[in-house]
């Protein structure tokens, strides 16, 4: 049997919305509901809802106290709303929005003085309802004959149609009315869903040998669908269910098309397809399948067969499919079903609701994940396992850490291994924690971060001391700065980089070079075994300016230099960044001078000759005088100098030509 099913078969938007909502009402605790007239033309749905507590009344006169009235998709006359309001009866209006639109059109045009004409079945509740919005003054036309017999109204005519009316007959009636009525305003209110269903069914009926239209005998849209299909496919059947068709073996080796009216539950369509597909299955297989009952609260496994933006459909190996609404797939609202699953995936879900009428089993992956997470939390508490979560905020007395779908409270005293003045600095960070306490009933979890951090720190310290040795390199994190250096975490242990170790240049404060949080390369310079204090080196030896100078400067070179400092016995001049040399007072001019300031000033650029270099002690002797013409010495009294600034006596009377005569170079160390 070649079975082809119309995509538009079954509940339309309006019916699906109303039936779904009615079933939700049935599940509400402490509230009673009833529908005013059967919610749809399907006895199975109506009796199932009645069993679940949502009965049917045919008139407001039969309404019991404290019962909320459900208005079905067909809508009701205006007078019904008035009665509900006047009597203070609570109601839930599930009129299809497309029908509501017709009510508004009719009410407005009736108020403007138009004669309303409704093309539809005068006994159909939808038409009765529409007529109730123009004081029951509408002319109702069901077929072309009635249109032809109509005496054209003298006033302006407003024409609307029943949403499920046959489109072809409607067109013929409109064609005729346009000719007879002079002043008309026409609203084609036939619902798209109906049009599409009719068009698809007609096309399908033309492609098959047998056409089956599933739906109630008193469902107007089902009967219209049947007429359309019968007009194309001579072997067409209209049946409320597959059973009503009798022996389906007669369809063997035929092409069978299936469509269904707007109020036919999916389960009836699915049952028909199953029966036709499984005619050859033996009794034992069918029995086994039918025994696979699924109940609310079960955990089921299935295969993803469809992934859409709003839901995921899962084949559970039973007659109904599982449906996971997008909101029940993940805790993360930014993720769509497509981000999480794909067709063919095996997936588990918690059964939230079984709805045979709608032919679906509502599942929640989110809820199942939540159960699993709770189990993991309980196990973590038992075993002392470490979990990881993200700090979401600060509350009174502590912080909230989110672990999957659960909130974990961590008291402020246990939020870190050191005292924090502001817990907000933890917000947004991922932290490890142990479960200290849980209360299943209140879903309350208390965590402890401190204990984990302290244990981790001890482990790191132990590992560090086992491997630490002078010269070993580390990538560390700058933890804090002081005026004398930077403390750097090199893996559970802090070491100090002295300020003189931070840069080859002279700096005023460690913050000139590093900031808290920086990741820097350091090496161990020294370990004080007794105090466990570690001195770290940071400067790159390859950037040692004295080493660079060594390769560039030679005795006898004439270089440009900048005066950076002056003392009574001479001036220091920078000849390369951070490399200074001394111009002894006797080498500043070719005459005797009282003090360096007599000839030089700070910042002044001068040409100097390198007269001696002591690389080992980082001393360079410079001379300006060596570049000047020789002048006869002028004999004068030497100026008196302060004791503390006095230079060695060997400098005073003669030209300094050897490095042994120079004073200490600036305090830069290797
Ligand atoms: Fe509404 Fe159209 Fe269905 S009018 S009830 S969606 S057929």
């Amino acid at each position: 049997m070649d079975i082809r099913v119309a995509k538009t078969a079954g509940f339309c938007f309006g019916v699906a919305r109303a039936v779904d909502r009615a079933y939700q009402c049935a599940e509400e605790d402490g509230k009673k509901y009833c529908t005013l007239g059967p919610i749809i033309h399907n006895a199975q749905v109506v009796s199932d809802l009645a069993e679940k507590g949502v009965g049917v009344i045919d008139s407001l006169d039969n309404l019991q106290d404290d019962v909320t009235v459900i208005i079905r998709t067909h809508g009701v006359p205006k007078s019904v709303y008035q009665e509900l309001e006047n009597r203070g009866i609570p109601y839930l209006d599930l009129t299809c929005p497309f029908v509501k639109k017709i009510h508004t059109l009719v009410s407005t045009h009736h108020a403007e003085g138009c004669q309303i004409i409704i093309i539809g079945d005068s006994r159909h509740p939808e038409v009765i309802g529409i007529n109730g919005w123009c004081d029951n003054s509408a002319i109702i036309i069901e077929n072309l004959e009635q249109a032809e017999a109509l005496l054209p109204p003298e006033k302006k005519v407003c024409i609307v149609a029943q949403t499920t009316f046959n489109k072809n007959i409607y067109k013929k009636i409109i064609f005729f009315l346009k000719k007879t009525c002079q002043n008309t305003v026409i609203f084609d209110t036939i619902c798209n869903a109906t049009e599409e269903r009719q068009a698809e069914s007609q096309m399908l009926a033309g492609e098959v040998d047998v056409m089956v239209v599933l739906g109630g005998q008193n469902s107007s849209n089902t009967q219209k669908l049947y007429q359309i299909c019968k007009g194309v496919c001579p072997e067409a059947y209209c049946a409320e269910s597959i059973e009503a068709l009798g022996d389906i073996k007669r369809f063997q080796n035929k092409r069978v098309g299936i469509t269904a009216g707007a109020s036919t539950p999916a389960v009836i369509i699915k049952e028909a397809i199953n029966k036709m597909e499984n005619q050859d299955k033996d009794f034992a297989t069918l029995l086994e399948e039918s025994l696979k009952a699924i109940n609310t609260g079960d955990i089921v496994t299935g295969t993803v067969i469809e992934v859409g933006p709003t839901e995921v459909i899962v084949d559970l190996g039973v007659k109904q499919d599982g449906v996971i609404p997008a909101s029940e797939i993940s805790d993360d609202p930014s993720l769509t079903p497509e981000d999480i699953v794909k067709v063919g995936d095996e997936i588990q879900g918690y059964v939230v609701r079984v709805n045979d009428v709608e032919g679906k089993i509502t599942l929640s992956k989110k809820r199942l994940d939540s159960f699993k997470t709770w189990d993991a939390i309980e196990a973590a508490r038992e075993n002392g396992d470490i979990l990881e979560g993200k700090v979401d905020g600060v509350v009174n007395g502590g912080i909230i850490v989110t672990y999957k779908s659960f909130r974990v409270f961590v008291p402020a005293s246990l939020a870190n291994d050191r005292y924090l003045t502001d817990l907000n600095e933890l917000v947004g960070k991922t932290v490890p924690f142990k479960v200290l306490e849980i209360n299943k009933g209140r879903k309350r979890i208390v965590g402890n971060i401190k204990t984990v951090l302290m244990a981790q720190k001890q482990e790191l310290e132990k590992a560090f001391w086992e491997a630490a040795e002078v010269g070993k390199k580390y990538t560390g994190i700058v933890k804090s700065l002081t005026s004398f250096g930077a403390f750097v975490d090199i893996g559970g242990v802090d070491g100090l980089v002295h300020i003189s170790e931070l840069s080859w240049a002279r700096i005023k404060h460690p913050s000139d070079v590093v900031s808290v949080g920086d990741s820097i390369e350091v090496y161990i310079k020294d370990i004080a075994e007794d105090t466990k204090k570690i001195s770290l080196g940071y400067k790159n030896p390859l950037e040692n300016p004295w080493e660079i100078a060594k390769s560039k400067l030679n005795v006898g070179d004439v270089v440009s230099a900048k005066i950076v400092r002056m003392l009574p016995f001479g001036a220091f001049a920078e000849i390369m960044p951070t490399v200074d040399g001394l111009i002894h007072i006797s080498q500043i001019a070719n005459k005797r001078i009282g003090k360096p300031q007599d000839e030089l000033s700070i910042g002044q650029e001068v040409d100097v000759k390198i007269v001696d270099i002591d690389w080992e002690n980082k001393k360079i002797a410079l001379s300006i005088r060596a570049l000047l013409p020789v002048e006869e010495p002028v004999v004068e009294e030497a100026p008196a100098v302060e004791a503390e600034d006095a230079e060695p006596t060997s400098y005073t009377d003669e030209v300094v030509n050897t490095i042994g005569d120079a004073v200490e170079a600036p305090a830069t160390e290797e």
Side-chain angles (χ1 to χ4, degrees):
M1 202 182 292
D2 173 7
I3 302 159
R4 302 175 193 187
V5 185
K7 284 198 191 80
T8 49
F11 285 179
C12 61
F13 148 76
V15 169
R17 169 178 169 268
V19 171
D20 212 42
R21 190 72 185 86
Y23 273 98
Q24 283 172 14
C25 291
E27 284 174 6
E28 271 180 35
D29 284 336
K31 244 181 141 181
K32 288 187 270 181
Y33 289 90
C34 71
T35 59
L36 185 54
I39 186 132
I40 54 171
H41 291 304
N42 182 277
Q44 195 181 340
V45 175
V46 172
S47 68
D48 190 54
L49 272 171
E51 258 176 46
K52 290 182 161 79
V54 181
V56 183
I57 52 164
D58 53 7
S59 154
L60 291 180
D61 297 339
N62 304 328
L63 185 69
Q64 292 175 355
D65 290 344
D66 302 327
V67 177
T68 300
V69 173
I70 296 175
I71 298 174
R72 56 189 177 168
T73 52
H74 305 113
V76 291
K78 193 177 177 182
S79 57
V80 174
Y81 288 99
Q82 284 164 347
E83 186 176 350
L84 289 166
E85 300 286 346
N86 292 344
R87 289 172 54 189
I89 299 169
Y91 63 92
L92 174 65
D93 190 357
L94 298 182
T95 307
C96 176
F98 300 134
V99 177
K100 269 234 173 268
K101 191 178 153 203
I102 305 176
H103 292 175
T104 310
L105 287 171
V106 166
S107 176
T108 311
H109 286 82
H110 172 62
E112 288 171 0
C114 289
Q115 171 60 54
I116 305 295
I117 294 181
I118 306 169
I119 301 176
D121 177 352
S122 60
R123 291 151 302 165
H124 194 278
E126 181 189 321
V127 174
I128 294 168
I130 295 169
N131 198 10
W133 287 85
C134 59
D135 298 326
N136 298 314
S137 64
I139 298 167
I140 301 170
I141 295 177
E142 295 184 16
N143 50 45
L144 188 57
E145 291 74 39
Q146 288 180 2
E148 286 168 352
L150 179 73
L151 200 62
E154 284 177 7
K155 51 185 178 180
K156 187 177 174 182
V157 169
C158 167
I159 306 174
V160 294
Q162 184 183 341
T163 53
T164 51
F165 200 75
N166 183 315
K167 187 79 176 181
N168 293 332
I169 301 174
Y170 168 81
K171 280 183 187 164
K172 286 180 191 158
I173 295 173
I174 288 293
F175 183 73
F176 183 82
L177 289 180
K178 269 188 181 170
K179 283 195 292 186
T180 54
C181 303
Q182 293 305 307
N183 193 2
T184 56
V185 49
I186 302 166
F187 297 100
D188 179 357
T189 52
I190 294 179
C191 173
N192 270 350
T194 306
E195 263 189 84
E196 281 166 18
R197 187 195 316 273
Q198 289 174 355
E200 193 198 7
S201 301
Q202 190 170 23
M203 192 177 288
L204 183 58
E207 294 169 356
V208 294
D209 307 310
V210 178
M211 189 70 195
V212 177
V213 181
L214 294 165
Q217 295 301 327
N218 53 353
S219 158
S220 111
N221 78 84
T222 302
Q223 293 310 315
K224 280 169 198 138
L225 214 50
Y226 170 61
Q227 285 158 18
I228 290 167
C229 293
K230 182 88 182 155
V232 184
C233 175
E235 193 175 353
Y237 301 91
C238 181
E240 289 203 340
S241 68
I242 187 76
E243 275 74 29
L245 281 177
D247 187 5
I248 54 170
K249 285 216 164 69
R250 67 184 189 279
F251 303 146
Q252 240 165 12
N253 303 321
K254 287 189 177 177
R255 292 168 300 171
V256 180
I258 299 176
T259 188
S263 51
T264 306
V267 70
I268 289 182
I269 304 169
K270 207 154 184 217
E271 208 171 33
I273 298 166
N274 276 349
K275 278 242 168 95
M276 288 186 189
E277 279 176 345
N278 298 320
Q279 316 171 56
D280 299 331
K281 279 197 183 165
D282 60 29
F283 177 73
T285 310
L286 291 171
L287 182 66
E288 192 194 328
E289 282 179 5
S290 70
L291 287 176
K292 270 198 216 163
I294 290 181
N295 300 304
T296 302
D298 287 353
I299 290 168
V300 291
T301 304
T303 307
V304 174
I305 53 173
E306 203 178 311
V307 180
T310 56
E311 59 187 22
V312 171
I313 310 293
V314 183
D315 179 10
L316 297 170
V318 294
K319 61 180 181 177
Q320 312 99 316
D321 285 335
V323 178
I324 311 177
S327 60
E328 288 299 320
I329 290 196
S330 164
D331 283 323
D332 187 342
S334 67
L335 295 176
T336 65
E338 286 98 335
D339 297 330
I340 300 166
V341 288
K342 60 180 187 314
V343 171
D345 282 357
E346 188 173 272
I347 193 167
Q348 275 198 318
Y350 172 84
V351 178
V352 177
R353 197 166 64 207
V354 179
N355 191 328
D356 279 337
V357 172
E358 288 178 310
K360 70 179 185 186
I361 297 170
T362 306
L363 305 175
S364 172
K365 178 176 177 301
K366 195 166 89 177
R367 224 184 282 187
L368 182 60
D369 289 345
S370 168
F371 295 152
K372 287 182 181 171
T373 304
W374 184 263
D375 289 347
I377 291 169
E378 282 189 331
R381 183 171 153 271
E382 286 286 308
N383 308 327
D385 295 340
I386 296 167
L387 304 176
E388 244 186 22
K390 192 171 161 201
V391 180
D392 260 358
V394 177
V395 292
N396 200 7
I399 56 171
I400 295 295
V401 176
T402 299
Y403 175 68
K404 299 191 176 166
S405 53
F406 290 92
R407 285 158 60 84
V408 179
F409 172 71
V410 180
S413 60
L414 302 179
N416 206 283
D417 59 340
R418 64 193 165 91
Y419 174 73
L420 297 176
T421 45
D422 184 4
L423 290 173
N424 279 301
E425 72 178 75
L426 295 175
V427 175
K429 289 192 175 149
T430 299
V431 290
F433 67 93
K434 279 193 175 192
V435 181
L436 195 64
E437 197 183 305
I438 50 177
N439 182 322
K440 192 166 186 175
R442 297 171 61 196
K443 287 276 181 283
R444 185 182 144 88
I445 307 160
V446 180
N448 184 342
I449 297 172
K450 183 177 178 177
T451 187
V452 181
L453 294 182
M454 287 183 70
Q456 286 177 347
K457 200 168 174 184
Q458 278 169 8
E459 280 293 310
L460 284 170
E461 274 183 25
K462 191 166 164 254
F464 175 85
W465 288 114
E466 278 169 10
E469 59 185 24
V470 171
K472 191 162 182 191
K473 290 180 180 168
Y474 294 87
T475 300
I477 303 291
V478 179
K479 298 294 284 290
S480 61
L481 301 178
T482 67
S483 59
F484 53 85
F487 285 97
V488 180
D489 178 357
I490 49 175
V493 173
D494 290 352
L496 172 68
V497 185
H498 190 267
I499 188 167
S500 62
E501 269 303 317
L502 282 169
S503 173
W504 292 107
R506 285 180 210 95
I507 56 170
K508 288 191 179 126
H509 192 269
S511 59
D512 294 343
V513 181
V514 291
S515 303
V516 171
D518 282 358
S519 173
I520 60 173
E521 301 294 322
V522 291
Y523 63 94
I524 296 181
K525 279 194 79 176
D526 191 26
I527 300 174
E529 292 290 345
D530 48 344
T531 56
K532 295 265 189 234
K533 282 191 176 158
I534 297 165
S535 300
L536 299 172
Y538 173 66
K539 291 186 297 196
N540 183 350
L542 295 177
E543 291 167 7
N544 183 341
W546 284 92
E547 288 302 316
I548 296 167
K550 209 186 247 184
S551 64
K552 292 189 175 172
L553 303 176
N554 294 298
V555 171
D557 287 353
V558 176
V559 293
S560 176
K562 187 163 89 180
I563 305 300
V564 292
R565 201 152 44 104
M566 286 192 275
L567 292 171
F569 55 83
F572 284 95
E574 186 182 73
I575 48 179
M576 283 178 57
T578 73
V579 176
D580 298 346
L582 172 67
I583 313 168
H584 188 267
I585 190 166
S586 62
Q587 294 301 306
I588 290 174
N590 53 7
K591 59 185 179 191
R592 183 177 292 275
I593 59 172
K595 52 187 184 302
Q597 287 86 341
D598 293 345
E599 291 292 323
L600 300 171
S601 56
I602 298 291
Q604 184 182 346
E605 299 276 352
V606 291
D607 284 341
V608 292
K609 184 172 182 178
I610 300 174
V611 293
D612 204 358
I613 301 176
D614 176 356
W615 292 119
E616 201 181 327
N617 295 304
K618 297 193 186 77
K619 290 176 183 171
I620 299 176
L622 306 171
S623 173
I624 298 172
R625 182 179 168 186
L627 301 175
L628 300 173
V630 179
E631 278 189 18
E632 285 303 310
V634 179
V635 179
E636 265 179 34
E637 279 291 307
V641 293
E642 295 291 326
E644 59 177 3
D645 289 339
E647 59 181 318
T649 49
S650 57
Y651 291 154
T652 51
D653 298 327
E654 56 189 48
V655 173
V656 177
N657 281 325
T658 63
I659 202 72
D661 299 326
V663 290
E664 280 282 305
T668 47
E669 289 174 32
E670 204 164 4

